[in-house]
DNA sequence: CTGCTCACG
DNA sequence: ACGTACGTGAGCAGA
């Protein structure tokens, strides 16, 4: 008989993980009684996956019995100073235990001992009985329990991505055996469990010592072998700490655990109890799974629809109440993909057809253009409708935009997926209906129309909930008066497109080809061998193995050959400059010459798509092609000569906000010193230079000081670290730290702002922009230093970058209206984060020169003025 | 399909 | 001691 398989779960640790993994969904996971359910949900999800993958014969979930344990008796500060568990999590723990019972799984806790000790003891007993064991936890310390028959699975991300530790994997990752983990912890201590270890010894040093000496005991027995050093002194002074910390880290394998192996049989789901619990918790997807059918995976609710023809289509005008609408297409790119069908529906009926031309019949067109419509992705529908000759003017609810504002993480472009995230499960994903890749196609009518009807029903069901959620998050205004109208403005810009002067670009391409050929030959001659210059792998081998240049930086797959590395190698070999030159031109050629030429549509224009629901900050992004990263400096800038107006005697006109992010920072931080600099329209970088270098007059600011001050200003906006700044401007970390300290001394409220944002993120779980755009930062609670620091920087940066994005969005909406009101022919074509680009008849340039800056700088009323600069010329190159 | 590199704000 | 700037998209190589 095969060995018994035992699954041991660290209940506290996994509950914690599940709670924070779904932290941003806290509001959504609440039942009618006001109980939060996100951790229960996440825990149950993880159970499903584990039970399926591990197929265990026996399962035990261990919990801590309380915060007082034998360890706190030994060392009063153990686990002291931890943030207390949020009440939203605490209230879920009894339910998780109830859930386990209903799923036929034993759970256990033991006064005075931690869950770890229960697991360690039970695993030891299982080893002795010849069982194989899998332990699941979020705590790496448990890897000390790995043996040949016990594997420890540690959560990496959320609760369902696990890293399996076997003795071999521990050896590979740390270079030590599982037994040595306690010695490691003894030396390095543990900040989250709050025990000290040896001063100044961290993981790296501790591992080195253990690889040399094996154990703490042996290390102290042979201390004489270490040469005199600060570290040796610390080891001697902190010996007691090291020994104590080792014992605190040691998980018991002989705790007085009363539950025996033969009581751990996995009994399987207790259907009635489970159904009652799911019902109480309002977990519809799990309830559906219980049904025994595949109901959860494939919605089976029968749906009705009415196929219309050129006569019956006239009935749509009689629809009352909220009306849904959708033009469906297979491709992502709605500029090139054609609509193959549509639906129009309300609560009672869904009209469907695969003949989109029906919509242009006089009986429908006027009605549809004026009707208030609920859609999914309004911009796509605006563009698709335009292709049919329809001008929709009254889309008033977009499920996609609403869902994005509620949480920008929900950036799926699939209605089915978004619906299920909002607890509506009766809609499959498009991919399941249309297929993907080469197999993507329009299914037979009944399948298609049923899908349409389900979509319409989903949209009607979601709309009121989303609207209510938006209101409760104070985002109704952001939704109704910013994102909804912006979608239409963006649609107009995308449809307008920008004309590409193809002959000019092709000519430039030819010249680049020549130059590249010359450089290529030269590089091959210098290297003494031909190779693929575009392959970082091959280039690395040539530079660092054949030519033996010093290795500056490595990537996880090999040598780094990025610009900053090559710059440092310039003096070592003449080949480097040629490679740099080749790289520059090759980039321009592939991405901006051939790349852009490929993107031109038959009208000779480039029609980018702005993604309105992607970025985590509220910025737009641009794809197919990206029009927000066209070269603006050095040689690459030439590409801008190829962007021209669509009519003769027109020009390109461009206006950009000057220092918008720093101005936003000056406003929201309320810092008087920074505000004064902007009120007096001083050179902000020179001003900062005076502050951090302690100068008395602007005349003393050298160009290099200004450059460094500029980098510091950027760093501040990004949520500064001394290391990052030092890397960026090539100074020491100490110098960078001095800059930052000087900065905060001069702009004290900026420092306060930074601290407040981090605090806000910790307390609320999210930060907000000026216009209440929200970003959740669950990782602000992470035990992982890197993830936590990243969340903290993001907390500082997002309100700044996001508010700037809000401001230009307001300006764009007002600009669109102003152009129409003034009866101008000028068209807004592009947005590049802080810049708007237009084409206009030469006769309108004067008007634009005053109108555009006026609209842009009055988009919001800040404590300091916004500044806008404008340029124009015959090409985009000249409008700068 | 991922990683590297590099273009923009 | 840790290992780091914020937000994006595209082309190419190499699995």
């Amino acid at each position: 008989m095969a060995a018994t398989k035992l699954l041991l779960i660290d209940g506290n640790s996994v509950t914690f993980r599940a709670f924070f993994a779904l932290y941003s969904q806290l509001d959504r996971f609440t039942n009618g009684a006001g109980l939060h359910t996100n951790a229960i949900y996440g825990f149950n999800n993880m159970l499903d996956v584990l039970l399926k993958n591990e197929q265990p014969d026996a399962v035990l979930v261990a919990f801590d019995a309380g915060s007082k344990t034998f360890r706190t008796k030994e060392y009063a500060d153990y686990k002291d100073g931890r943030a207390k568990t949020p009440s939203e999590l605490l209230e879920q723990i009894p339910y998780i235990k109830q859930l386990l019972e209903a799923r036929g799984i034993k759970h256990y806790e033991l006064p005075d001992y931690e869950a770890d000790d229960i697991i360690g003891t039970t695993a030891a007993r299982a080893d002795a009985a010849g069982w194989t064991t899998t332990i699941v936890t979020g705590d790496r310390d448990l890897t000390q329990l790995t043996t040949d028959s016990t594997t420890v699975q540690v959560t990496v991300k959320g609760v369902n991505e696990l890293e399996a530790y076997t003795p071999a994997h521990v050896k590979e990752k740390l270079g030590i055996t599982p037994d040595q983990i306690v010695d490691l912890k003894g030396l390095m201590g543990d900040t989250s469990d709050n025990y000290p270890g040896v001063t100044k010894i961290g993981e790296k040093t501790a591992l080195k010592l253990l690889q040399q000496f094996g154990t703490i005991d042996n290390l102290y027995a042979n201390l004489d072998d270490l040469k005199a050093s600060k570290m040796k002194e610390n080891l001697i002074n902190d010996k007691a700490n090291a020994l104590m910390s080792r014992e605190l880290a040691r998980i018991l394998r002989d705790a007085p655990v009363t539950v025996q192996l033969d009581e751990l049989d996995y009994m399987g789901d207790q259907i009635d109890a489970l159904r009652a619990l799911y019902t109480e918790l309002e977990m519809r997807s799990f309830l559906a799974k219980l049904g025994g059918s595949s109901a959860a995976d494939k919605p089976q609710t029968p749906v009705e629809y009415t196929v219309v023809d050129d006569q019956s289509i006239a009935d749509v005008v009689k629809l009352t109440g909220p009306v849904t609408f959708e033009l469906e297409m297979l491709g992502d790119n709605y500029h090139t993909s054609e609509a193959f069908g549509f639906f129009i529906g309300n609560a009672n009926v869904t009209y469907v057809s695969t003949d989109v031309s029906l919509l242009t019949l006089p009986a429908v067109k006027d009605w549809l253009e004026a009707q208030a419509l609920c859609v999914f992705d309004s911009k796509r529908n605006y563009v698709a409708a335009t292709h049919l000759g329809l001008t929709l003017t009254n889309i008033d609810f977009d499920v996609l935009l609403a869902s994005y504002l509620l949480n920008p993480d929900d950036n799926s472009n699939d209605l089915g997926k978004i619906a299920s995230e909002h607890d509506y499960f009766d809609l499959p994903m498009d991919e399941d209906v249309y297929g993907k890749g080469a197999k993507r196609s329009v299914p037979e009518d009944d399948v298609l129309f049923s899908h349409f009807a389900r979509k319409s029903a989903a949209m009607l069901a979601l709309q009121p909930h989303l609207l209510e959620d938006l209101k409760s998050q104070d985002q109704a205004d952001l939704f109704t008066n910013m994102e909804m109208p912006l979608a239409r403005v963006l649609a107009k810009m995308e449809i307008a497109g920008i004309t590409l002067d193809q002959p000019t670009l092709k000519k430039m391409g030819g010249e680049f080809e020549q130059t590249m050929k010359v450089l290529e030959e030269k590089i091959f001659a210098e290297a003494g061998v031909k190779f693929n210059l575009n392959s970082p792998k091959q280039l690395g081998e040539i530079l660092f193995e054949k030519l033996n240049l010093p290795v500056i930086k490595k990537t996880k797959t090999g040598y780094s050959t990025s610009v900053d590395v090559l710059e440092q190698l310039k003096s070592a070999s003449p080949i480097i400059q040629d490679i740099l030159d080749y790289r520059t031109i090759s980039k321009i050629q592939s991405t901006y010459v051939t790349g852009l030429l490929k993107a031109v549509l038959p009208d000779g224009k480039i029609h980018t798509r702005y993604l309105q629901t992607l970025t985590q900050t509220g910025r737009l992004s641009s794809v197919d092609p990206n029009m927000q990263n066209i070269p603006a400096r050095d040689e690459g800038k030439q590409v801008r000569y190829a962007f021209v107006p669509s009519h003769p005697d027109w020009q390109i006109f461009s206006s950009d906000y000057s220092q918008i992010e720093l101005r936003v920072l000056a406003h929201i931080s309320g810092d008087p010193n920074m505000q004064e600099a902007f009120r007096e329209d001083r050179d902000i970088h020179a001003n900062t230079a005076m502050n951090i270098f302690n100068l008395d007059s602007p005349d003393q600011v050298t160009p290099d000081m200004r450059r460094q001050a500029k980098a510091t200003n950027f760093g501040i906006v990004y949520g500064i670290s001394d290391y990052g700044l030092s890397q960026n401007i090539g100074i020491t970390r100490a110098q960078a730290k001095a800059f930052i300290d000087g900065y905060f001394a001069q702009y004290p409220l900026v420092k306060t702002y930074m601290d407040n944002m981090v605090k806000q993120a910790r307390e609320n779980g999210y930060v907000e922009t000026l216009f209440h755009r929200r970003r959740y930062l669950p990782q602000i609670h992470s035990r992982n230093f890197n993830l936590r620091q990243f969340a903290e920087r993001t907390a500082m940066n997002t309100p700044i970058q996001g508010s700037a994005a809000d401001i230009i969005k307001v300006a764009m909406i007002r600009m669109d209206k102003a152009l129409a009101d003034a009866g101008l022919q000028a068209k807004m074509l592009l947005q590049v984060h802080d810049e708007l680009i237009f084409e206009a008849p030469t006769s309108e340039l004067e008007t634009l020169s005053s109108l555009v800056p006026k609209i842009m700088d009055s988009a919001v009323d800040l404590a300091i003025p916004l500044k806008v600069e404008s340029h124009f010329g015959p090409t985009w190159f000249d409008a700068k």
Side-chain angles (χ1 to χ4, degrees), chain A residues 204 535 621 626 715 723 775:
Chain A
K204 285 276 155 67
S535 161
S621 86
N626 183 353
Y723 180 87
R775 180 176 188 177

PDB file of all heavy atoms in Angstrom, chain A residues 204 535 621 626 715 723 775, chain C residues 2 4-5 7 9-10 14:
ATOM      1  N   LYS A 204      23.074  37.336   4.907  1.00  0.00           N
ATOM      2  CA  LYS A 204      24.277  37.045   4.123  1.00  0.00           C
ATOM      3  C   LYS A 204      25.429  36.577   5.015  1.00  0.00           C
ATOM      4  O   LYS A 204      26.042  35.530   4.792  1.00  0.00           O
ATOM      5  CB  LYS A 204      24.703  38.294   3.337  1.00  0.00           C
ATOM      6  CG  LYS A 204      23.826  38.590   2.134  1.00  0.00           C
ATOM      7  CD  LYS A 204      24.257  37.780   0.917  1.00  0.00           C
ATOM      8  CE  LYS A 204      23.119  37.558  -0.079  1.00  0.00           C
ATOM      9  NZ  LYS A 204      22.653  38.777  -0.732  1.00  0.00           N
ATOM     10  N   SER A 535      21.266  40.186 -30.325  1.00  0.00           N
ATOM     11  CA  SER A 535      21.122  39.214 -29.255  1.00  0.00           C
ATOM     12  C   SER A 535      22.003  39.587 -28.060  1.00  0.00           C
ATOM     13  O   SER A 535      23.218  39.512 -28.135  1.00  0.00           O
ATOM     14  CB  SER A 535      21.501  37.826 -29.767  1.00  0.00           C
ATOM     15  OG  SER A 535      21.776  36.976 -28.676  1.00  0.00           O
ATOM     16  N   SER A 621      -2.714  54.857 -21.510  1.00  0.00           N
ATOM     17  CA  SER A 621      -1.579  54.297 -22.222  1.00  0.00           C
ATOM     18  C   SER A 621      -2.002  54.207 -23.674  1.00  0.00           C
ATOM     19  O   SER A 621      -3.174  54.413 -23.996  1.00  0.00           O
ATOM     20  CB  SER A 621      -1.136  52.970 -21.630  1.00  0.00           C
ATOM     21  OG  SER A 621      -1.861  51.915 -22.173  1.00  0.00           O
ATOM     22  N   ASN A 626       2.152  52.600 -30.048  1.00  0.00           N
ATOM     23  CA  ASN A 626       2.285  53.510 -28.912  1.00  0.00           C
ATOM     24  C   ASN A 626       2.695  54.886 -29.436  1.00  0.00           C
ATOM     25  O   ASN A 626       3.778  55.053 -29.980  1.00  0.00           O
ATOM     26  CB  ASN A 626       3.339  52.960 -27.952  1.00  0.00           C
ATOM     27  CG  ASN A 626       3.490  53.823 -26.707  1.00  0.00           C
ATOM     28  OD1 ASN A 626       2.899  54.897 -26.618  1.00  0.00           O
ATOM     29  ND2 ASN A 626       4.279  53.353 -25.766  1.00  0.00           N
ATOM     30  N   GLY A 715      13.322  62.250  -8.109  1.00  0.00           N
ATOM     31  CA  GLY A 715      13.380  61.205  -7.105  1.00  0.00           C
ATOM     32  C   GLY A 715      12.304  61.385  -6.050  1.00  0.00           C
ATOM     33  O   GLY A 715      11.660  60.427  -5.639  1.00  0.00           O
ATOM     34  N   TYR A 723      19.575  55.195  -2.291  1.00  0.00           N
ATOM     35  CA  TYR A 723      20.270  54.345  -3.245  1.00  0.00           C
ATOM     36  C   TYR A 723      19.869  54.683  -4.691  1.00  0.00           C
ATOM     37  O   TYR A 723      20.709  54.862  -5.564  1.00  0.00           O
ATOM     38  CB  TYR A 723      19.981  52.876  -2.952  1.00  0.00           C
ATOM     39  CG  TYR A 723      20.666  51.933  -3.899  1.00  0.00           C
ATOM     40  CD1 TYR A 723      21.951  51.497  -3.652  1.00  0.00           C
ATOM     41  CD2 TYR A 723      20.023  51.510  -5.060  1.00  0.00           C
ATOM     42  CE1 TYR A 723      22.597  50.653  -4.533  1.00  0.00           C
ATOM     43  CE2 TYR A 723      20.662  50.670  -5.945  1.00  0.00           C
ATOM     44  CZ  TYR A 723      21.941  50.238  -5.678  1.00  0.00           C
ATOM     45  OH  TYR A 723      22.569  49.402  -6.559  1.00  0.00           O
ATOM     46  N   ARG A 775      -6.203  53.896  -5.537  1.00  0.00           N
ATOM     47  CA  ARG A 775      -5.342  52.747  -5.820  1.00  0.00           C
ATOM     48  C   ARG A 775      -5.121  51.986  -4.514  1.00  0.00           C
ATOM     49  O   ARG A 775      -4.662  52.569  -3.531  1.00  0.00           O
ATOM     50  CB  ARG A 775      -3.989  53.205  -6.366  1.00  0.00           C
ATOM     51  CG  ARG A 775      -3.056  52.036  -6.683  1.00  0.00           C
ATOM     52  CD  ARG A 775      -1.763  52.546  -7.303  1.00  0.00           C
ATOM     53  NE  ARG A 775      -0.943  51.454  -7.769  1.00  0.00           N
ATOM     54  CZ  ARG A 775       0.219  51.608  -8.399  1.00  0.00           C
ATOM     55  NH1 ARG A 775       0.678  52.823  -8.633  1.00  0.00           N
ATOM     56  NH2 ARG A 775       0.911  50.573  -8.789  1.00  0.00           N
TER      57      ARG A 775
ATOM     58  P    DC C   2      22.818  41.957   3.036  1.00  0.00           P
ATOM     59  OP1  DC C   2      23.132  40.595   2.599  1.00  0.00           O
ATOM     60  OP2  DC C   2      23.697  43.089   2.678  1.00  0.00           O
ATOM     61  O5'  DC C   2      21.339  42.293   2.565  1.00  0.00           O
ATOM     62  C5'  DC C   2      20.297  41.320   2.769  1.00  0.00           C
ATOM     63  C4'  DC C   2      18.962  41.959   2.523  1.00  0.00           C
ATOM     64  O4'  DC C   2      18.749  43.024   3.452  1.00  0.00           O
ATOM     65  C3'  DC C   2      18.816  42.614   1.142  1.00  0.00           C
ATOM     66  O3'  DC C   2      18.016  41.754   0.347  1.00  0.00           O
ATOM     67  C2'  DC C   2      18.093  43.932   1.407  1.00  0.00           C
ATOM     68  C1'  DC C   2      17.760  43.855   2.888  1.00  0.00           C
ATOM     69  N1   DC C   2      17.796  45.149   3.622  1.00  0.00           N
ATOM     70  C2   DC C   2      16.660  45.550   4.308  1.00  0.00           C
ATOM     71  O2   DC C   2      15.641  44.849   4.265  1.00  0.00           O
ATOM     72  N3   DC C   2      16.690  46.712   5.000  1.00  0.00           N
ATOM     73  C4   DC C   2      17.804  47.445   5.028  1.00  0.00           C
ATOM     74  N4   DC C   2      17.777  48.557   5.734  1.00  0.00           N
ATOM     75  C5   DC C   2      18.978  47.034   4.340  1.00  0.00           C
ATOM     76  C6   DC C   2      18.938  45.895   3.651  1.00  0.00           C
ATOM     77  P    DT C   4      16.929  45.019  -6.571  1.00  0.00           P
ATOM     78  OP1  DT C   4      15.963  44.000  -6.975  1.00  0.00           O
ATOM     79  OP2  DT C   4      18.300  44.980  -7.092  1.00  0.00           O
ATOM     80  O5'  DT C   4      16.293  46.444  -6.892  1.00  0.00           O
ATOM     81  C5'  DT C   4      14.943  46.666  -6.500  1.00  0.00           C
ATOM     82  C4'  DT C   4      14.716  48.126  -6.184  1.00  0.00           C
ATOM     83  O4'  DT C   4      15.162  48.431  -4.868  1.00  0.00           O
ATOM     84  C3'  DT C   4      15.470  49.120  -7.042  1.00  0.00           C
ATOM     85  O3'  DT C   4      14.681  49.321  -8.211  1.00  0.00           O
ATOM     86  C2'  DT C   4      15.466  50.371  -6.181  1.00  0.00           C
ATOM     87  C1'  DT C   4      15.382  49.816  -4.770  1.00  0.00           C
ATOM     88  N1   DT C   4      16.587  50.010  -3.936  1.00  0.00           N
ATOM     89  C2   DT C   4      16.534  50.869  -2.879  1.00  0.00           C
ATOM     90  O2   DT C   4      15.543  51.508  -2.602  1.00  0.00           O
ATOM     91  N3   DT C   4      17.679  50.978  -2.170  1.00  0.00           N
ATOM     92  C4   DT C   4      18.852  50.306  -2.395  1.00  0.00           C
ATOM     93  O4   DT C   4      19.826  50.488  -1.676  1.00  0.00           O
ATOM     94  C5   DT C   4      18.852  49.411  -3.519  1.00  0.00           C
ATOM     95  C7   DT C   4      20.091  48.628  -3.835  1.00  0.00           C
ATOM     96  C6   DT C   4      17.725  49.299  -4.223  1.00  0.00           C
ATOM     97  P    DA C   5      15.399  49.815  -9.557  1.00  0.00           P
ATOM     98  OP1  DA C   5      14.620  49.102 -10.602  1.00  0.00           O
ATOM     99  OP2  DA C   5      16.857  49.684  -9.500  1.00  0.00           O
ATOM    100  O5'  DA C   5      15.060  51.370  -9.614  1.00  0.00           O
ATOM    101  C5'  DA C   5      13.718  51.785  -9.714  1.00  0.00           C
ATOM    102  C4'  DA C   5      13.395  52.769  -8.582  1.00  0.00           C
ATOM    103  O4'  DA C   5      14.321  53.856  -8.634  1.00  0.00           O
ATOM    104  C3'  DA C   5      12.013  53.374  -8.725  1.00  0.00           C
ATOM    105  O3'  DA C   5      11.207  52.829  -7.677  1.00  0.00           O
ATOM    106  C2'  DA C   5      12.196  54.860  -8.537  1.00  0.00           C
ATOM    107  C1'  DA C   5      13.666  54.998  -8.152  1.00  0.00           C
ATOM    108  N9   DA C   5      14.254  56.144  -8.809  1.00  0.00           N
ATOM    109  C8   DA C   5      14.428  56.336 -10.156  1.00  0.00           C
ATOM    110  N7   DA C   5      14.980  57.465 -10.444  1.00  0.00           N
ATOM    111  C5   DA C   5      15.165  58.080  -9.216  1.00  0.00           C
ATOM    112  C6   DA C   5      15.703  59.315  -8.835  1.00  0.00           C
ATOM    113  N6   DA C   5      16.185  60.183  -9.709  1.00  0.00           N
ATOM    114  N1   DA C   5      15.721  59.607  -7.519  1.00  0.00           N
ATOM    115  C2   DA C   5      15.237  58.713  -6.650  1.00  0.00           C
ATOM    116  N3   DA C   5      14.715  57.527  -6.884  1.00  0.00           N
ATOM    117  C4   DA C   5      14.706  57.263  -8.200  1.00  0.00           C
ATOM    118  P    DG C   7       4.639  52.145 -10.171  1.00  0.00           P
ATOM    119  OP1  DG C   7       3.430  51.733  -9.446  1.00  0.00           O
ATOM    120  OP2  DG C   7       5.698  51.171 -10.492  1.00  0.00           O
ATOM    121  O5'  DG C   7       4.211  52.820 -11.563  1.00  0.00           O
ATOM    122  C5'  DG C   7       3.087  53.679 -11.590  1.00  0.00           C
ATOM    123  C4'  DG C   7       2.900  54.213 -12.991  1.00  0.00           C
ATOM    124  O4'  DG C   7       4.053  54.979 -13.378  1.00  0.00           O
ATOM    125  C3'  DG C   7       2.823  53.149 -14.072  1.00  0.00           C
ATOM    126  O3'  DG C   7       1.531  52.561 -14.091  1.00  0.00           O
ATOM    127  C2'  DG C   7       3.069  54.012 -15.305  1.00  0.00           C
ATOM    128  C1'  DG C   7       4.118  54.986 -14.804  1.00  0.00           C
ATOM    129  N9   DG C   7       5.467  54.609 -15.200  1.00  0.00           N
ATOM    130  C8   DG C   7       6.401  53.852 -14.531  1.00  0.00           C
ATOM    131  N7   DG C   7       7.525  53.720 -15.180  1.00  0.00           N
ATOM    132  C5   DG C   7       7.311  54.428 -16.355  1.00  0.00           C
ATOM    133  C6   DG C   7       8.177  54.646 -17.468  1.00  0.00           C
ATOM    134  O6   DG C   7       9.333  54.255 -17.637  1.00  0.00           O
ATOM    135  N1   DG C   7       7.571  55.408 -18.449  1.00  0.00           N
ATOM    136  C2   DG C   7       6.289  55.907 -18.377  1.00  0.00           C
ATOM    137  N2   DG C   7       5.855  56.622 -19.418  1.00  0.00           N
ATOM    138  N3   DG C   7       5.476  55.716 -17.350  1.00  0.00           N
ATOM    139  C4   DG C   7       6.055  54.977 -16.378  1.00  0.00           C
ATOM    140  P    DG C   9       1.001  49.636 -21.622  1.00  0.00           P
ATOM    141  OP1  DG C   9      -0.347  49.724 -22.200  1.00  0.00           O
ATOM    142  OP2  DG C   9       1.435  48.417 -20.918  1.00  0.00           O
ATOM    143  O5'  DG C   9       2.071  49.925 -22.775  1.00  0.00           O
ATOM    144  C5'  DG C   9       1.828  50.985 -23.691  1.00  0.00           C
ATOM    145  C4'  DG C   9       2.644  50.749 -24.939  1.00  0.00           C
ATOM    146  O4'  DG C   9       4.051  50.819 -24.626  1.00  0.00           O
ATOM    147  C3'  DG C   9       2.442  49.396 -25.601  1.00  0.00           C
ATOM    148  O3'  DG C   9       2.517  49.609 -27.001  1.00  0.00           O
ATOM    149  C2'  DG C   9       3.579  48.553 -25.066  1.00  0.00           C
ATOM    150  C1'  DG C   9       4.685  49.575 -24.877  1.00  0.00           C
ATOM    151  N9   DG C   9       5.580  49.335 -23.740  1.00  0.00           N
ATOM    152  C8   DG C   9       5.214  48.929 -22.476  1.00  0.00           C
ATOM    153  N7   DG C   9       6.244  48.810 -21.670  1.00  0.00           N
ATOM    154  C5   DG C   9       7.334  49.156 -22.448  1.00  0.00           C
ATOM    155  C6   DG C   9       8.715  49.211 -22.136  1.00  0.00           C
ATOM    156  O6   DG C   9       9.255  48.960 -21.058  1.00  0.00           O
ATOM    157  N1   DG C   9       9.487  49.607 -23.227  1.00  0.00           N
ATOM    158  C2   DG C   9       8.987  49.918 -24.469  1.00  0.00           C
ATOM    159  N2   DG C   9       9.876  50.281 -25.387  1.00  0.00           N
ATOM    160  N3   DG C   9       7.704  49.877 -24.786  1.00  0.00           N
ATOM    161  C4   DG C   9       6.945  49.483 -23.737  1.00  0.00           C
ATOM    162  P    DA C  10       2.399  48.425 -28.052  1.00  0.00           P
ATOM    163  OP1  DA C  10       1.711  48.961 -29.233  1.00  0.00           O
ATOM    164  OP2  DA C  10       1.935  47.199 -27.384  1.00  0.00           O
ATOM    165  O5'  DA C  10       3.935  48.234 -28.429  1.00  0.00           O
ATOM    166  C5'  DA C  10       4.588  49.293 -29.109  1.00  0.00           C
ATOM    167  C4'  DA C  10       5.887  48.786 -29.666  1.00  0.00           C
ATOM    168  O4'  DA C  10       6.819  48.598 -28.587  1.00  0.00           O
ATOM    169  C3'  DA C  10       5.784  47.441 -30.372  1.00  0.00           C
ATOM    170  O3'  DA C  10       6.556  47.536 -31.549  1.00  0.00           O
ATOM    171  C2'  DA C  10       6.335  46.443 -29.374  1.00  0.00           C
ATOM    172  C1'  DA C  10       7.340  47.286 -28.596  1.00  0.00           C
ATOM    173  N9   DA C  10       7.516  46.910 -27.204  1.00  0.00           N
ATOM    174  C8   DA C  10       6.544  46.563 -26.298  1.00  0.00           C
ATOM    175  N7   DA C  10       7.001  46.285 -25.096  1.00  0.00           N
ATOM    176  C5   DA C  10       8.379  46.465 -25.218  1.00  0.00           C
ATOM    177  C6   DA C  10       9.448  46.336 -24.301  1.00  0.00           C
ATOM    178  N6   DA C  10       9.281  45.971 -23.033  1.00  0.00           N
ATOM    179  N1   DA C  10      10.695  46.588 -24.753  1.00  0.00           N
ATOM    180  C2   DA C  10      10.857  46.959 -26.022  1.00  0.00           C
ATOM    181  N3   DA C  10       9.938  47.117 -26.978  1.00  0.00           N
ATOM    182  C4   DA C  10       8.710  46.856 -26.507  1.00  0.00           C
ATOM    183  P    DG C  14      19.650  34.519 -29.698  1.00  0.00           P
ATOM    184  OP1  DG C  14      20.951  34.674 -29.044  1.00  0.00           O
ATOM    185  OP2  DG C  14      19.554  34.025 -31.080  1.00  0.00           O
ATOM    186  O5'  DG C  14      18.736  33.594 -28.766  1.00  0.00           O
ATOM    187  C5'  DG C  14      18.739  33.831 -27.368  1.00  0.00           C
ATOM    188  C4'  DG C  14      17.775  32.871 -26.717  1.00  0.00           C
ATOM    189  O4'  DG C  14      16.417  33.284 -27.001  1.00  0.00           O
ATOM    190  C3'  DG C  14      17.891  31.432 -27.238  1.00  0.00           C
ATOM    191  O3'  DG C  14      17.700  30.586 -26.128  1.00  0.00           O
ATOM    192  C2'  DG C  14      16.724  31.318 -28.210  1.00  0.00           C
ATOM    193  C1'  DG C  14      15.699  32.150 -27.467  1.00  0.00           C
ATOM    194  N9   DG C  14      14.546  32.620 -28.224  1.00  0.00           N
ATOM    195  C8   DG C  14      14.444  32.838 -29.577  1.00  0.00           C
ATOM    196  N7   DG C  14      13.252  33.256 -29.932  1.00  0.00           N
ATOM    197  C5   DG C  14      12.544  33.311 -28.737  1.00  0.00           C
ATOM    198  C6   DG C  14      11.199  33.678 -28.487  1.00  0.00           C
ATOM    199  O6   DG C  14      10.352  34.051 -29.288  1.00  0.00           O
ATOM    200  N1   DG C  14      10.890  33.583 -27.126  1.00  0.00           N
ATOM    201  C2   DG C  14      11.752  33.183 -26.150  1.00  0.00           C
ATOM    202  N2   DG C  14      11.284  33.141 -24.903  1.00  0.00           N
ATOM    203  N3   DG C  14      13.008  32.838 -26.368  1.00  0.00           N
ATOM    204  C4   DG C  14      13.331  32.918 -27.677  1.00  0.00           C
TER     205       DG C  14
END
